Amino acid sequence: MPELRRDPFTRSWVVIAPERADRPQRTGPATPRPAPAADPDCPFCPGHEQDTPAEVWRLPADRDDPAGAWAVRVVPNRYPVLAPGDRAAHHHTTGLHTRADGIGSHEVVIESPSHDWDLPDGNDTAVADILRAYRARCLALRGRRPGLVLPFRNHGAAAGTSLPHPHSQIVATPIVPLRFRQLFDVARTYYDDHGRCLYVDHTAAELADGERVVATSDGVVALTPYAASTPYETWIVPRHHQASFADAPDDILDQTAALLRRLLAALRDLLGDIPYNYALISAPNGEEATTYFAWHLQIAPRLTDPAGFELGTGIAVNPVPPEHAAAQLRQALTADAAPQPAGAQVSSRARARG
Ligand code: UDP
Ligand code: ZN
């Protein structure tokens, strides 16, 4: 029988409906992996630095040669969702309609000089370098009040990617989105009732239960949420309190990178090169010191298409119970971590491509 579950963080409902998995649906790789190692028409490939607006952050490939080749670049988005600017976005209301100037920031994190690189192909250090870019830019952008800074990644056409060169994005908004107000309201009420952080309590309870835990390290945990709204949705969360990823110390950042790389590799081994989005959620600007919220990295594979029921009710339908997803991911991670003969990693990628 399908089960309705209520998300403890948003208090919205999802339906976990394994029966729905039996009907025909899209599976397997939805996007062919980019073939060439470089593309002469790609604005993010080395040699095309003049095709992007002036970079706002860079990590040199050789730390002793800051002006030389780069490992990671952050540049303003040429087609921004919100125009760059520091001034306040004043609200104007006419009747029932309220508007504000669309100013904030929209940046692209060019994750690698290689056109065909992907996160699971790298080593942990390469992934940590990308998280370092997120942390540095979140710190630089979070001065706007009110506002929110959101690093995210789209992978695959069905997840919204328009360019194959490995990249993620960081948007800074001049308002706090309703979803964040809701997360904050729920977390604040929990704190009022219990005197503790909902997120830290949740992580401790999930670790004690174990059924939805995918992997752990000293400081961070990967788990599938109880009310996951998409199949194989996975979160990486800190074990200890930290409201904003921008304040994460190096060891937590490095552990998050290692878990993220392994998780994306496990997802690819298990399901092929599926489309996904991830978003790195932190407290809104100015709330960094709050004791009732914790950052989390939310990875959402795009294996289902929300349709009329979801539109009309706001209730997500997830055909893969999070407990099953966690068990499968644990197994895939163990296989990934097991000693492999030379070339085994390449063959697992080739399988995912096929
Ligand atoms: N882009 C850019 N400069 C270019 C070409 C593209 O800044 O010369 C941006 C583009 O606006 C887009 C991003 O690169 O936001 C690529 O992002 P992605 O493919 O993840 O998804 P999109 O934002 O297109 O949905
Ligand atoms: Zn490229």
Side-chain angles (χ1 to χ4, degrees):
M1 184 170 50
E3 184 171 85
L4 276 160
R5 292 188 180 185
R6 195 170 68 186
D7 183 297
F9 305 105
T10 59
R11 301 184 73 77
S12 54
W13 292 89
V14 304
V15 191
I16 308 294
E19 294 80 356
R20 300 281 293 164
D22 295 338
R23 77 196 205 287
Q25 59 181 311
R26 190 177 67 228
T27 53
T31 339
R33 301 281 312 284
D39 176 349
D41 296 325
C42 174
F44 298 159
C45 271
H48 292 251
E49 286 79 4
Q50 305 313 318
D51 294 346
T52 64
E55 68 193 25
V56 292
W57 193 87
R58 92 152 34 192
L59 193 68
D62 174 356
R63 313 286 145 109
D64 295 329
D65 181 16
W70 49 272
V72 179
R73 298 174 77 212
V74 184
V75 298
N77 195 310
R78 182 153 264 181
Y79 312 95
V81 163
L82 292 167
D86 285 331
R87 72 188 159 80
H90 296 297
H91 292 195
H92 307 278
T93 300
T94 315
L96 292 176
H97 297 152
T98 301
R99 56 168 293 279
D101 288 340
I103 47 176
S105 157
H106 190 171
E107 300 178 348
V108 179
V109 180
I110 307 172
E111 298 167 341
S112 163
S114 306
H115 189 77
D116 66 345
W117 184 83
D118 195 11
L119 273 178
D121 302 333
N123 52 33
D124 293 349
T125 310
V127 181
D129 287 346
I130 297 166
L131 298 193
R132 260 175 243 292
Y134 298 167
R135 185 175 65 179
R137 294 312 297 158
C138 286
L139 271 176
L141 293 166
R142 74 180 183 187
R144 176 192 288 282
R145 310 273 197 280
L148 179 84
V149 188
L150 183 78
F152 62 93
R153 186 173 209 256
N154 305 327
H155 178 82
T161 303
S162 55
L163 259 181
H165 195 110
H167 67 280
S168 32
Q169 305 183 47
I170 303 174
V171 170
T173 66
I175 43 101
V176 177
L178 189 60
R179 175 177 140 74
F180 279 75
R181 292 197 184 282
Q182 195 180 2
L183 290 175
F184 247 57
D185 284 352
V186 171
R188 198 184 288 120
T189 303
Y190 184 92
Y191 193 83
D192 285 347
D193 290 347
H194 303 275
R196 294 188 307 272
C197 171
L198 169 63
Y199 290 80
V200 174
D201 272 10
H202 169 262
T203 303
E206 288 298 296
L207 279 169
D209 177 281
E211 212 185 354
R212 285 172 293 273
V213 174
V214 176
T216 62
S217 60
D218 288 353
V220 293
V221 177
L223 50 85
T224 57
Y226 170 75
S229 58
T230 68
Y232 303 94
E233 177 179 346
T234 309
W235 289 22
I236 298 177
V237 296
R239 277 184 201 245
H240 303 295
H241 185 78
Q242 186 117 69
S244 173
F245 184 79
D247 297 316
D250 283 344
D251 61 331
I252 296 296
L253 184 147
D254 290 339
Q255 290 174 35
T256 306
L259 262 192
L260 176 62
R261 193 199 63 71
R262 290 178 61 211
L263 258 180
L264 293 177
L267 277 168
R268 195 171 68 181
D269 286 347
L270 196 60
L271 301 166
D273 190 22
I274 53 161
Y276 67 81
N277 305 106
Y278 72 59
L280 181 52
I281 314 288
S282 285
N285 303 347
E287 305 282 358
E288 296 82 19
T290 193
T291 48
Y292 51 83
F293 190 81
W295 65 263
H296 47 284
L297 179 58
Q298 186 172 3
I299 306 163
R302 294 292 166 204
L303 294 166
T304 51
D305 295 315
F309 175 76
E310 291 84 342
L311 172 72
T313 61
I315 297 175
V317 181
N318 178 359
V320 180
E323 297 73 24
H324 295 186
Q328 286 180 278
L329 285 168
R330 275 196 300 269
Q331 207 173 11
L333 277 172
T334 315
D336 186 49
Q340 293 180 346
Q345 245 188 323
V346 174
S347 61
S348 82
R349 273 211 296 285
R351 195 172 62 240
R353 268 191 196 124

